[in-house]
Amino acid sequence: QVQLVESGGGLVQSGGSLRLSCVGSGFTLDYYAIGWFRQAPGKEREGLSCISSVDGSTDYVDSVKGRFTISRDNAKNTVYLQMNDLKPEDTAVYYCATRYYYCSHSVASYKYWGQGTQVTVSS
């Protein structure tokens, strides 16, 4: 059965960095794209970044472009999200999720989700 486990969240000061990990089991990154999402209290879940299984291509929403970097290690079945220059508005629970092959930022298009990891950015 497909499972996703996020880790690496924590408390960081504004301008700092964190590296999130998403370890998958029950599937291979050869056939599944991985997306990163976040949800802050009182707000809807939003897509941030994704990486395709077809060619490893990546995509980012404007709010994180230039600050966040998604990457994968197929041998470890792991996807990472390197987050730099963090801001208080980045505070949220961060989730990874999977869908077949291609990137999307649509929450509804993803089939499996991890449990989330809390990221808190102080001023």
Side-chain angles (χ1 to χ4, degrees):
Q1 183 174 343
V2 172
Q3 292 186 344
L4 298 167
V5 179
E6 303 97 332
S7 63
L11 175 64
V12 65
Q13 293 184 355
S14 181
S17 298
L18 286 172
R19 190 194 195 198
L20 306 183
S21 298
C22 174
V23 180
S25 61
F27 73 101
T28 172
L29 295 182
D30 289 342
Y31 301 107
Y32 290 85
I34 298 293
W36 282 99
F37 300 79
R38 68 186 180 192
Q39 187 166 21
K43 298 179 65 177
E44 295 184 351
R45 192 168 299 185
E46 62 173 335
L48 304 174
S49 181
C50 61
I51 185 164
S52 171
S53 68
V54 177
D55 56 4
S57 62
T58 60
D59 195 57
Y60 304 87
V61 297
D62 288 343
S63 62
V64 306
K65 193 172 299 182
R67 299 191 297 127
F68 292 9
T69 302
I70 190 170
S71 62
R72 68 183 184 186
D73 185 338
N74 285 8
K76 298 180 179 179
N77 230 44
T78 300
V79 173
Y80 305 96
L81 186 68
Q82 178 67 46
M83 306 187 296
N84 298 325
D85 192 25
L86 284 163
K87 306 173 182 179
E89 50 263 43
D90 294 319
T91 295
V93 177
Y94 283 69
Y95 300 89
C96 64
T98 187
R99 68 192 304 276
Y100 285 118
Y101 295 109
Y102 298 103
C103 277
S104 173
H105 298 305
S106 172
V107 171
S109 71
Y110 283 77
K111 294 176 65 69
Y112 300 99
W113 294 81
Q115 84 289 347
T117 185
Q118 177 71 47
V119 172
T120 302
V121 185
S122 61
S123 301

